[in-house]
Amino acid sequence: MRATATRDQIVEAALSLVADRGFTATSVDDIASAAGVAKGSVFYNFGSKSGLFEAIITEGVARLTVALRTASDGLHGHAALEALVTELLGQIRAHPDFAKLMIAETFRTGRSWQDSIRLVRDESMGAFAAVVAEAWPDRDPSLTAAALFGATLLAGLEWLVFQPERTLDDVRAAVLATVH
Amino acid sequence: MRATATRDQIVEAALSLVADRGFTATSVDDIASAAGVAKGSVFYNFGSKSGLFEAIITEGVARLTVALRTASDGLHGHAALEALVTELLGQIRAHPDFAKLMIAETFRTGRSWQDSIRLVRDESMGAFAAVVAEAWPDRDPSLTAAALFGATLLAGLEWLVFQPERTLDDVRAAVLATVH
C-alpha cells in the first residue's frame, strides 16, 4: 500500500513537471522534491529517469485506451464517435499534464521512449480508427482517426490552457459540430 | 548575403535538432556543429539559446500565418476552409520540424518563450477562426478553429511521421471528409 502511494506520488510529480518544462529540463532531484520522497526512491521504483518516463507514458496510454474502449463499447457510428469525443475530453480534463505530454511527444523521433509513445497512436487513436472502419468503410481509418483525435485533443487543450471558464459541454459541442 | 545565409543555416539546424530531441537536450555546440558554423556565431546572431528558439518560433509562425492568410484571401466558407486545410498540410510537408515543434510547445506553460508560442494560437489558428466567424456565426470561433487546426495538424503529422507514402491529396481528402 505504502509502496503504491509513493510510486503514484512520483508519477504525478514527474508528469506535472515534465508537461510544463520538458523532459530534459526536469531533474530527478526536482521530481523527488516535488513528490516529497527521497531521490533514491525514484531510482528504486523506476530504475532511471527514462524508466520513469516510459512508465508514465505506458500507464497513461493504457488508462486512456481502456477509458476510450469502455466508453464506446457496444456503440456504433455517430453514437460511438460522440462517446469517444466526450470520453477523450473528460480524460484531458482529468489528466491535463498527460494530455500535454502526449501531444508534445507523439511525433518526436529522437527519444529513447519512442516505442512506448508509438502506443499512443496505435492504441488510443486505434479506438477512433475502429469506429471509422466499421461505420464508414470508404474512409481511410488511420488518417481519419488522426483528424478526429487531433480535433478533440487540440480543442480540449485550448479549453484547459487558454479558456478554462468554458464547460465540457461547450467544447464537446464545438468538436462534434466540426467533425459530425 | 553571407550573414543571412549563416543565420538561416543556424535556424534550420536548430529546428531539426530541437524538433527531435527537445529544447533542453539540444546544446548550442550541437547546433553550431550541425550548422557548420562556430559556436560564437550562434551567440552573435541570436544572443542566447533561448533567443534563437524565440526567433525560430516567431519567424515560423509569421511565415505560416502569411501563407494561411494568402491562401484563403478572398475566399469564404467551405472554399476558404478547404484552402486553409490544403495550405496547412503543404506547410507541414515543407517544414515538418517546425510543425513538430509547434505541436510540442503550444500548450506548455513553463517555457521562457511562452508569449511567442501564444502567437501560434492567436495568429495561425486565428486564420481558421476568422473563416468560421464569418461563415458560421453560430459556432464558437476559437474552439472550432482549434478543432480544425488540430484535425489538420495531427493528420499531417501522422502522414509525415508514420505514413510518408501517402499523398497530400489523400490526407487532404481525409481531413476534409472529417471536418466538412
Side-chain angles (χ1 to χ4, degrees):
Chain A
M1 195 59 200
R2 194 68 215 291
T4 312
T6 301
R7 202 177 181 284
D8 290 351
Q9 276 169 293
I10 295 169
V11 165
E12 283 311 308
L15 249 181
S16 165
L17 291 170
V18 172
D20 266 358
R21 301 180 188 176
F23 175 75
T24 315
T26 303
S27 70
V28 173
D29 278 321
D30 296 337
I31 294 167
S33 164
V37 305
K39 189 171 169 179
S41 186
V42 176
F43 292 111
Y44 174 78
N45 277 279
F46 299 96
S48 65
K49 195 176 118 181
S50 289
L52 164 59
F53 200 65
E54 187 127 0
I56 289 175
I57 293 174
T58 310
E59 289 168 27
V61 171
R63 182 185 58 211
L64 176 60
T65 305
V66 167
L68 292 174
R69 299 270 180 191
T70 304
S72 59
D73 190 38
L75 300 175
H76 307 275
H78 287 292
L81 194 56
E82 264 190 56
L84 287 175
V85 167
T86 307
E87 184 62 34
L88 181 52
L89 289 173
Q91 291 289 324
I92 294 167
R93 180 174 60 180
H95 309 283
D97 289 329
F98 181 71
K100 287 188 203 174
L101 201 67
M102 192 167 62
I103 203 157
E105 296 293 338
T106 303
F107 299 103
R108 281 203 162 127
T109 46
R111 303 286 215 182
S112 64
W113 50 84
Q114 205 184 324
D115 291 342
S116 303
I117 204 75
R118 199 170 255 260
L119 292 172
V120 171
R121 167 177 178 263
D122 293 346
E123 300 193 4
S124 301
M125 288 192 198
F128 284 83
V131 168
V132 171
E134 190 208 47
W136 297 280
D138 56 317
R139 301 264 183 94
D140 183 295
S142 60
L143 290 173
T144 305
L148 292 167
F149 199 84
T152 311
L153 190 53
L154 254 74
L157 286 167
E158 164 77 21
W159 166 39
L160 291 177
V161 176
F162 297 113
Q163 305 189 46
E165 72 284 5
R166 310 300 295 266
T167 67
L168 193 149
D169 275 349
D170 284 349
V171 186
R172 182 179 51 190
V175 173
L176 290 174
T178 306
V179 304
H180 73 125
Chain B
M1 193 61 198
R2 194 70 215 289
T4 311
T6 301
R7 201 177 181 284
D8 290 351
Q9 276 170 293
I10 295 170
V11 165
E12 283 312 308
L15 248 181
S16 166
L17 291 170
V18 172
D20 265 358
R21 302 179 188 177
F23 175 75
T24 315
T26 304
S27 70
V28 173
D29 278 321
D30 296 336
I31 294 167
S33 163
V37 304
K39 190 172 169 179
S41 185
V42 176
F43 291 110
Y44 174 78
N45 278 279
F46 298 98
S48 65
K49 195 175 118 182
S50 289
L52 164 58
F53 199 66
E54 186 127 2
I56 288 175
I57 294 176
T58 310
E59 289 168 28
V61 170
R63 181 185 59 210
L64 176 60
T65 304
V66 168
L68 292 174
R69 299 269 180 192
T70 305
S72 60
D73 190 37
L75 301 175
H76 306 274
H78 288 291
L81 194 57
E82 263 188 58
L84 287 175
V85 167
T86 307
E87 184 61 33
L88 180 52
L89 289 174
Q91 290 289 323
I92 294 168
R93 180 173 60 179
H95 308 283
D97 290 329
F98 181 72
K100 287 188 202 176
L101 201 68
M102 191 167 63
I103 201 158
E105 295 293 338
T106 303
F107 298 103
R108 282 204 162 128
T109 46
R111 303 286 215 182
S112 65
W113 50 83
Q114 205 183 325
D115 290 343
S116 303
I117 203 74
R118 200 169 253 260
L119 291 173
V120 171
R121 169 178 177 262
D122 293 347
E123 300 192 7
S124 301
M125 288 192 198
F128 284 83
V131 168
V132 171
E134 189 207 51
W136 298 280
D138 56 317
R139 299 265 183 95
D140 184 294
S142 60
L143 290 172
T144 304
L148 292 167
F149 199 84
T152 311
L153 189 54
L154 254 75
L157 286 168
E158 164 76 22
W159 167 39
L160 292 177
V161 176
F162 298 112
Q163 306 189 47
E165 73 283 5
R166 310 300 295 265
T167 67
L168 194 148
D169 275 348
D170 284 349
V171 186
R172 182 179 52 191
V175 173
L176 289 175
T178 306
V179 304
H180 72 126

